Short mmCIF file of all heavy atoms in Angstrom, two decimals:
data_model
loop_
_atom_site.label_atom_id
_atom_site.label_comp_id
_atom_site.label_asym_id
_atom_site.label_seq_id
_atom_site.Cartn_x
_atom_site.Cartn_y
_atom_site.Cartn_z
N ASN A 46 -14.01 22.05 -9.02
CA ASN A 46 -14.21 22.34 -10.57
C ASN A 46 -15.32 21.45 -11.12
O ASN A 46 -16.02 21.79 -12.02
CB ASN A 46 -12.90 21.96 -11.34
CG ASN A 46 -11.85 22.80 -10.88
OD1 ASN A 46 -12.00 24.03 -10.77
ND2 ASN A 46 -10.65 22.17 -10.58
N ALA A 47 -15.61 20.35 -10.43
CA ALA A 47 -16.70 19.40 -11.01
C ALA A 47 -17.96 19.84 -10.69
O ALA A 47 -18.30 20.54 -9.62
CB ALA A 47 -16.45 18.02 -10.45
N HIS A 48 -18.98 19.53 -11.48
CA HIS A 48 -20.32 19.76 -11.10
C HIS A 48 -20.92 18.46 -10.46
O HIS A 48 -20.95 17.42 -11.14
CB HIS A 48 -21.15 20.14 -12.39
CG HIS A 48 -22.55 20.48 -12.07
ND1 HIS A 48 -22.88 21.45 -11.05
CD2 HIS A 48 -23.79 20.09 -12.61
CE1 HIS A 48 -24.27 21.52 -11.09
NE2 HIS A 48 -24.75 20.86 -11.93
N VAL A 49 -21.35 18.49 -9.28
CA VAL A 49 -21.83 17.39 -8.61
C VAL A 49 -23.36 17.19 -8.72
O VAL A 49 -24.06 18.10 -8.27
CB VAL A 49 -21.41 17.36 -7.16
CG1 VAL A 49 -21.87 16.07 -6.44
CG2 VAL A 49 -19.90 17.44 -6.98
N ILE A 50 -23.75 16.13 -9.30
CA ILE A 50 -25.24 15.96 -9.65
C ILE A 50 -25.71 14.74 -8.74
O ILE A 50 -25.08 13.65 -8.81
CB ILE A 50 -25.41 15.71 -11.17
CG1 ILE A 50 -24.95 16.76 -11.93
CG2 ILE A 50 -26.92 15.48 -11.34
CD1 ILE A 50 -24.75 16.31 -13.54
N GLY A 51 -26.77 15.01 -8.04
CA GLY A 51 -27.38 13.95 -7.21
C GLY A 51 -28.56 13.36 -7.95
O GLY A 51 -29.30 14.04 -8.60
N LEU A 52 -28.72 11.96 -8.06
CA LEU A 52 -29.79 11.32 -8.72
C LEU A 52 -30.33 10.33 -7.76
O LEU A 52 -29.76 9.48 -7.22
CB LEU A 52 -29.26 10.60 -9.83
CG LEU A 52 -29.29 11.44 -11.18
CD1 LEU A 52 -27.99 11.27 -11.91
CD2 LEU A 52 -30.41 11.06 -12.08
N THR A 53 -31.69 10.48 -7.53
CA THR A 53 -32.40 9.55 -6.71
C THR A 53 -33.75 9.23 -7.20
O THR A 53 -34.24 10.02 -8.14
CB THR A 53 -32.48 10.02 -5.21
OG1 THR A 53 -32.89 8.92 -4.51
CG2 THR A 53 -33.43 11.15 -5.07
N GLY A 54 -34.31 8.17 -6.86
CA GLY A 54 -35.72 7.74 -7.35
C GLY A 54 -36.03 6.41 -6.88
O GLY A 54 -35.13 5.60 -6.54
N PRO A 55 -37.33 5.96 -6.87
CA PRO A 55 -37.66 4.68 -6.38
C PRO A 55 -37.13 3.63 -7.18
O PRO A 55 -37.01 3.78 -8.44
CB PRO A 55 -39.19 4.82 -6.38
CG PRO A 55 -39.53 5.86 -7.22
CD PRO A 55 -38.52 6.74 -7.34
N PRO A 56 -36.99 2.40 -6.69
CA PRO A 56 -36.76 1.16 -7.47
C PRO A 56 -37.73 1.02 -8.59
O PRO A 56 -38.95 1.28 -8.35
CB PRO A 56 -36.84 0.02 -6.51
CG PRO A 56 -36.80 0.52 -5.18
CD PRO A 56 -37.32 2.06 -5.25
N GLY A 57 -37.37 0.74 -9.78
CA GLY A 57 -38.24 0.51 -10.89
C GLY A 57 -38.43 1.75 -11.73
O GLY A 57 -39.16 1.74 -12.67
N SER A 58 -37.70 2.84 -11.35
CA SER A 58 -37.90 4.10 -12.11
C SER A 58 -37.03 4.12 -13.24
O SER A 58 -37.08 5.00 -14.10
CB SER A 58 -37.71 5.29 -11.13
OG SER A 58 -36.43 5.19 -10.45
N GLY A 59 -36.12 3.19 -13.36
CA GLY A 59 -35.16 3.14 -14.45
C GLY A 59 -34.00 4.03 -14.32
O GLY A 59 -33.33 4.34 -15.23
N LYS A 60 -33.68 4.25 -12.96
CA LYS A 60 -32.68 5.29 -12.75
C LYS A 60 -31.27 4.90 -13.30
O LYS A 60 -30.58 5.68 -13.95
CB LYS A 60 -32.64 5.30 -11.20
CG LYS A 60 -31.79 6.32 -10.64
CD LYS A 60 -32.13 6.36 -9.14
CE LYS A 60 -32.12 5.13 -8.25
NZ LYS A 60 -32.78 4.02 -8.10
N SER A 61 -30.88 3.58 -13.03
CA SER A 61 -29.59 3.17 -13.58
C SER A 61 -29.37 3.18 -14.99
O SER A 61 -28.38 3.71 -15.52
CB SER A 61 -29.23 1.84 -13.01
OG SER A 61 -29.37 1.78 -11.58
N THR A 62 -30.41 2.84 -15.77
CA THR A 62 -30.41 2.88 -17.19
C THR A 62 -30.30 4.37 -17.67
O THR A 62 -29.54 4.68 -18.53
CB THR A 62 -31.65 2.18 -17.75
OG1 THR A 62 -31.81 0.91 -17.16
CG2 THR A 62 -31.54 2.16 -19.26
N LEU A 63 -31.08 5.22 -16.92
CA LEU A 63 -31.04 6.66 -17.32
C LEU A 63 -29.55 7.21 -17.06
O LEU A 63 -28.99 7.97 -17.86
CB LEU A 63 -32.03 7.40 -16.47
CG LEU A 63 -32.26 8.77 -16.85
CD1 LEU A 63 -32.67 8.95 -18.36
CD2 LEU A 63 -33.23 9.52 -15.93
N ILE A 64 -28.98 6.80 -16.00
CA ILE A 64 -27.61 7.32 -15.60
C ILE A 64 -26.67 6.93 -16.80
O ILE A 64 -25.87 7.61 -17.34
CB ILE A 64 -27.20 6.82 -14.21
CG1 ILE A 64 -27.99 7.49 -13.17
CG2 ILE A 64 -25.73 7.17 -14.02
CD1 ILE A 64 -27.70 7.12 -11.76
N ASP A 65 -26.83 5.57 -17.14
CA ASP A 65 -26.00 5.12 -18.33
C ASP A 65 -26.13 6.06 -19.46
O ASP A 65 -25.09 6.34 -20.09
CB ASP A 65 -26.49 3.65 -18.67
CG ASP A 65 -25.68 3.06 -19.82
OD1 ASP A 65 -24.60 2.73 -19.60
OD2 ASP A 65 -26.19 3.12 -20.92
N LYS A 66 -27.32 6.49 -19.76
CA LYS A 66 -27.52 7.30 -21.01
C LYS A 66 -27.02 8.76 -20.69
O LYS A 66 -26.45 9.39 -21.56
CB LYS A 66 -29.02 7.41 -21.31
CG LYS A 66 -29.49 6.09 -21.97
CD LYS A 66 -28.87 5.87 -23.31
CE LYS A 66 -29.58 4.78 -24.15
NZ LYS A 66 -29.83 3.54 -23.46
N ILE A 67 -27.11 9.17 -19.41
CA ILE A 67 -26.58 10.50 -19.04
C ILE A 67 -25.12 10.55 -19.25
O ILE A 67 -24.55 11.50 -19.86
CB ILE A 67 -27.01 10.90 -17.66
CG1 ILE A 67 -28.55 11.12 -17.55
CG2 ILE A 67 -26.31 12.12 -17.13
CD1 ILE A 67 -29.03 11.26 -16.17
N ILE A 68 -24.46 9.52 -18.85
CA ILE A 68 -23.08 9.46 -18.92
C ILE A 68 -22.65 9.54 -20.47
O ILE A 68 -21.74 10.26 -20.81
CB ILE A 68 -22.47 8.20 -18.30
CG1 ILE A 68 -22.74 8.15 -16.84
CG2 ILE A 68 -20.88 8.19 -18.43
CD1 ILE A 68 -22.43 6.79 -16.18
N ARG A 69 -23.38 8.68 -21.17
CA ARG A 69 -22.99 8.71 -22.68
C ARG A 69 -23.17 10.07 -23.25
O ARG A 69 -22.36 10.43 -24.11
CB ARG A 69 -23.90 7.61 -23.38
CG ARG A 69 -23.50 6.27 -23.19
CD ARG A 69 -24.62 5.27 -23.60
NE ARG A 69 -24.45 3.95 -22.98
CZ ARG A 69 -23.75 2.96 -23.50
NH1 ARG A 69 -23.10 3.06 -24.64
NH2 ARG A 69 -23.66 1.87 -22.89
N GLU A 70 -24.15 10.75 -22.89
CA GLU A 70 -24.47 12.15 -23.48
C GLU A 70 -23.26 13.09 -23.06
O GLU A 70 -22.76 13.73 -23.86
CB GLU A 70 -25.83 12.62 -23.01
CG GLU A 70 -26.19 14.00 -23.44
CD GLU A 70 -26.52 13.98 -24.95
OE1 GLU A 70 -26.88 12.96 -25.47
OE2 GLU A 70 -26.39 15.05 -25.55
N TYR A 71 -22.93 13.03 -21.76
CA TYR A 71 -21.78 13.87 -21.32
C TYR A 71 -20.49 13.54 -22.11
O TYR A 71 -19.73 14.36 -22.45
CB TYR A 71 -21.55 13.71 -19.84
CG TYR A 71 -22.44 14.63 -19.04
CD1 TYR A 71 -23.31 14.11 -18.05
CD2 TYR A 71 -22.39 16.06 -19.13
CE1 TYR A 71 -24.10 14.93 -17.32
CE2 TYR A 71 -23.16 16.81 -18.45
CZ TYR A 71 -24.05 16.37 -17.52
OH TYR A 71 -24.86 17.25 -16.76
N ARG A 72 -20.26 12.17 -22.29
CA ARG A 72 -19.03 11.79 -23.01
C ARG A 72 -18.97 12.32 -24.43
O ARG A 72 -17.97 12.74 -24.89
CB ARG A 72 -19.01 10.27 -22.95
CG ARG A 72 -18.72 9.60 -21.54
CD ARG A 72 -17.43 10.09 -20.99
NE ARG A 72 -16.26 9.46 -21.64
CZ ARG A 72 -15.14 10.17 -21.93
NH1 ARG A 72 -15.07 11.41 -21.57
NH2 ARG A 72 -14.16 9.55 -22.51
N GLN A 73 -20.30 12.31 -25.00
CA GLN A 73 -20.37 12.84 -26.33
C GLN A 73 -19.99 14.34 -26.35
O GLN A 73 -19.46 14.78 -27.42
CB GLN A 73 -21.70 12.60 -26.88
CG GLN A 73 -21.91 11.26 -27.63
CD GLN A 73 -23.17 11.20 -28.49
OE1 GLN A 73 -23.95 12.07 -28.45
NE2 GLN A 73 -23.14 10.13 -29.37
N ARG A 74 -20.34 14.96 -25.32
CA ARG A 74 -19.93 16.33 -25.25
C ARG A 74 -18.58 16.66 -24.76
O ARG A 74 -18.27 17.78 -24.34
CB ARG A 74 -20.98 17.11 -24.35
CG ARG A 74 -22.42 16.95 -24.90
CD ARG A 74 -23.48 17.58 -23.88
NE ARG A 74 -24.82 17.40 -24.44
CZ ARG A 74 -25.73 18.24 -24.28
NH1 ARG A 74 -25.72 19.32 -23.54
NH2 ARG A 74 -27.04 17.91 -24.75
N GLY A 75 -17.84 15.64 -24.67
CA GLY A 75 -16.43 15.70 -24.27
C GLY A 75 -16.12 15.90 -22.85
O GLY A 75 -15.04 16.19 -22.38
N LYS A 76 -17.11 15.60 -22.01
CA LYS A 76 -16.87 15.69 -20.52
C LYS A 76 -16.52 14.30 -19.95
O LYS A 76 -16.93 13.22 -20.40
CB LYS A 76 -18.18 16.08 -19.81
CG LYS A 76 -18.84 17.36 -20.33
CD LYS A 76 -18.15 18.50 -19.79
CE LYS A 76 -18.84 19.82 -20.18
NZ LYS A 76 -17.97 20.98 -20.11
N THR A 77 -15.70 14.37 -18.94
CA THR A 77 -15.38 13.13 -18.16
C THR A 77 -16.25 12.99 -17.01
O THR A 77 -16.84 14.05 -16.43
CB THR A 77 -13.90 13.16 -17.64
OG1 THR A 77 -13.72 14.36 -16.87
CG2 THR A 77 -12.94 13.18 -18.80
N VAL A 78 -16.56 11.85 -16.60
CA VAL A 78 -17.70 11.62 -15.60
C VAL A 78 -17.23 10.58 -14.62
O VAL A 78 -16.66 9.56 -14.81
CB VAL A 78 -18.93 10.94 -16.25
CG1 VAL A 78 -20.10 10.91 -15.31
CG2 VAL A 78 -19.36 11.92 -17.47
N GLY A 79 -17.54 10.89 -13.24
CA GLY A 79 -17.32 10.00 -12.13
C GLY A 79 -18.72 9.71 -11.54
O GLY A 79 -19.61 10.56 -11.64
N VAL A 80 -18.85 8.47 -11.12
CA VAL A 80 -20.14 8.04 -10.58
C VAL A 80 -19.93 7.42 -9.21
O VAL A 80 -19.04 6.56 -9.09
CB VAL A 80 -20.88 7.10 -11.49
CG1 VAL A 80 -22.18 6.55 -10.86
CG2 VAL A 80 -21.07 7.61 -12.92
N ILE A 81 -20.70 7.75 -8.29
CA ILE A 81 -20.74 7.15 -6.91
C ILE A 81 -22.12 6.54 -6.75
O ILE A 81 -23.01 7.27 -6.65
CB ILE A 81 -20.45 8.05 -5.82
CG1 ILE A 81 -18.97 8.65 -6.02
CG2 ILE A 81 -20.44 7.32 -4.49
CD1 ILE A 81 -18.73 9.81 -5.25
N ALA A 82 -22.26 5.29 -6.69
CA ALA A 82 -23.55 4.53 -6.56
C ALA A 82 -23.63 4.07 -5.20
O ALA A 82 -22.86 3.18 -4.78
CB ALA A 82 -23.54 3.49 -7.59
N VAL A 83 -24.54 4.46 -4.46
CA VAL A 83 -24.76 4.15 -2.96
C VAL A 83 -25.84 3.19 -2.79
O VAL A 83 -26.93 3.37 -3.30
CB VAL A 83 -24.89 5.38 -2.07
CG1 VAL A 83 -24.90 5.01 -0.62
CG2 VAL A 83 -23.91 6.54 -2.39
N ASP A 84 -25.53 2.04 -2.14
CA ASP A 84 -26.49 1.07 -1.83
C ASP A 84 -26.50 0.83 -0.29
O ASP A 84 -25.49 0.93 0.29
CB ASP A 84 -26.19 -0.26 -2.54
CG ASP A 84 -26.91 -0.32 -3.89
OD1 ASP A 84 -28.16 0.00 -3.93
OD2 ASP A 84 -26.33 -0.63 -4.81
N PRO A 85 -27.60 0.40 0.15
CA PRO A 85 -27.58 0.20 1.63
C PRO A 85 -26.90 -1.01 2.23
O PRO A 85 -26.86 -2.01 1.51
CB PRO A 85 -29.10 -0.01 1.97
CG PRO A 85 -29.69 -0.49 0.68
CD PRO A 85 -28.95 0.08 -0.43
N THR A 86 -26.22 -0.86 3.37
CA THR A 86 -25.63 -1.96 4.09
C THR A 86 -26.77 -2.62 4.92
O THR A 86 -27.62 -1.95 5.47
CB THR A 86 -24.56 -1.39 5.07
OG1 THR A 86 -23.52 -0.92 4.23
CG2 THR A 86 -24.03 -2.55 5.95
N SER A 87 -26.74 -3.97 4.94
CA SER A 87 -27.72 -4.72 5.75
C SER A 87 -27.44 -4.51 7.24
O SER A 87 -26.29 -4.76 7.64
CB SER A 87 -27.66 -6.23 5.38
OG SER A 87 -28.13 -6.91 6.51
#
Side-chain angles (χ1 to χ4, degrees):
Chain A
N46 301 313
H48 185 51
V49 183
I50 304 163
L52 271 131
T53 191
S58 56
K60 187 168 52 296
S61 306
T62 308
L63 187 61
I64 293 179
D65 177 78
K66 288 292 193 309
I67 292 172
I68 302 171
R69 286 170 199 267
E70 182 68 26
Y71 274 123
R72 294 295 293 140
Q73 271 197 348
R74 298 179 183 208
K76 304 280 187 204
T77 56
V78 184
V80 179
I81 299 162
V83 184
D84 269 316
T86 292
S87 158

